[in-house]
Amino acid sequence: MTVLLLAGIVYTLILLTKQRDFASVGMVRNISHKLKGHSLSTNYWQAGIILFVANAALFALAFVILFFLPYGAMAGLCLCIPLSLITWMLFSEVWRGSWKDKVKMAFIGSTFFLFFLGWIFWYYATLEPAYPGDDLFMVWIVVIIASIFTIGAMSVSMFVILRK
């Protein structure tokens, strides 16, 4: 599990350092060129809500891959991390409004991660032991790991979207 975590961190760092190259890829350039004329490129509410839905859809895809496919964690790392980064870069490239509105759009889109973090803490706070004397220490470890991943995903998304 530790090797998988380290591989995911290294993979994400490599993708982050190469994000300028990804932004110039034909697919991202074509999609951003088609969306530049829409209100999506200047209305931070619409862009933020669509980014929120995209984050939720990518999370659902990662969840399905992780729990329903053999070796799902590896497939999830290799598929969902680049899809997330490309989605966030696409929104960064499409945006034509002011910097202040871009920050608002990024915050609205990343609110999914705050909701998920709140759900994690609510789940732990309302969790009851399965039997008397049940130790919930392992659940606390999962809460810490899930919190780190959620805060990391939110930070990376904000970094990618708000880059100059």
Side-chain angles (χ1 to χ4, degrees):
M1 186 68 179
T2 305
V3 173
L4 186 63
L5 176 65
L6 291 174
I9 291 170
V10 169
Y11 187 56
T12 304
L13 289 174
I14 290 170
L15 288 174
L16 281 175
T17 58
K18 300 293 184 188
Q19 70 176 330
R20 296 276 184 206
D21 298 334
F22 282 131
S24 64
V25 170
M27 178 186 70
V28 174
R29 187 173 283 176
N30 288 341
I31 293 172
S32 64
H33 180 68
K34 289 178 184 178
L35 292 176
K36 282 182 184 176
H38 293 282
S39 63
L40 182 67
S41 63
T42 55
N43 187 343
Y44 67 90
W45 276 107
Q46 284 181 353
I49 290 171
I50 291 174
L51 186 59
F52 180 91
V53 169
N55 284 332
L58 288 168
F59 177 79
L61 178 66
F63 183 80
V64 167
I65 288 172
L66 180 64
F67 290 109
F68 296 115
L69 290 179
Y71 303 105
M74 293 301 257
L77 281 175
C78 293
L79 181 68
C80 290
I81 291 174
L83 281 176
S84 298
L85 289 173
I86 288 172
T87 303
W88 298 330
M89 278 188 278
L90 182 68
F91 276 87
S92 179
E93 293 295 320
V94 166
W95 187 254
R96 294 293 170 239
S98 68
W99 173 258
K100 193 164 116 177
D101 287 343
K102 188 175 186 179
V103 171
K104 291 177 188 176
M105 180 262 303
F107 184 74
I108 291 168
S110 296
T111 309
F112 172 78
F113 299 116
L114 292 177
F115 287 148
F116 184 64
L117 192 62
W119 179 81
I120 290 169
F121 288 128
W122 174 80
Y123 177 77
Y124 181 73
T126 60
L127 185 66
E128 295 181 8
Y131 54 87
D134 187 16
D135 186 17
L136 298 177
F137 179 72
M138 292 305 288
V139 176
W140 179 246
I141 290 174
V142 170
V143 166
I144 296 297
I145 291 171
S147 301
I148 290 169
F149 277 120
T150 304
I151 291 169
M154 189 171 90
S155 301
V156 169
S157 72
M158 295 294 264
F159 175 75
V160 169
I161 290 174
L162 297 178
R163 68 180 168 80
K164 292 272 184 176

